[in-house]
């Protein structure tokens, strides 16, 4: 990735998904550009909620140092 491309990705988070070979849907672009402090994603199964969340976390970790990025998930104990 060239310096110009890296700068474009730093300024426009949806480009990160596209650079990874995952062109974002319009709602994913809007989510990545809004950068909400908290968000509730109401979408159908397989709509790309986890993908867009991972892209947002990756962008935060790479382009906003020193960032603390935590990904949590409930565990089912048996």
């Amino acid at each position: 990735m060239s310096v110009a491309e890296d700068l474009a990705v730093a300024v426009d988070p949806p480009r990160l998904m596209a650079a990874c070979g995952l062109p974002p849907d319009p709602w994913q672009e809007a989510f990545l550009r809004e950068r909400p402090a908290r968000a509730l994603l109401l979408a159908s199964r397989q709509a790309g909620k986890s993908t867009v969340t991972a892209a947002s976390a990756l962008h935060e970790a790479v382009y906003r140092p020193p960032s603390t990025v935590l990904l949590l998930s409930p565990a089912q104990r048996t």
Side-chain angles (χ1 to χ4, degrees):
M1 184 180 295
S2 71
V3 173
E5 292 170 333
D6 189 46
L7 182 59
V9 170
V11 173
D12 191 25
R15 289 181 184 237
L16 181 62
M17 282 185 67
C20 293
L22 302 166
D25 291 337
W27 74 268
Q28 291 172 320
E29 287 183 10
F31 174 78
L32 290 169
R33 286 188 178 122
E34 288 173 9
R35 305 191 57 81
R38 288 182 169 192
L40 175 67
L41 300 177
L42 180 60
S44 63
R45 293 182 69 234
Q46 302 295 313
K49 298 178 295 291
S50 296
T51 303
V52 75
T53 303
S56 179
L58 178 62
H59 191 273
E60 184 77 17
V62 172
Y63 293 105
R64 290 186 179 237
S67 296
T68 301
V69 177
L70 301 173
L71 301 176
L72 306 172
S73 177
Q76 181 178 5
R77 295 185 179 191
T78 56

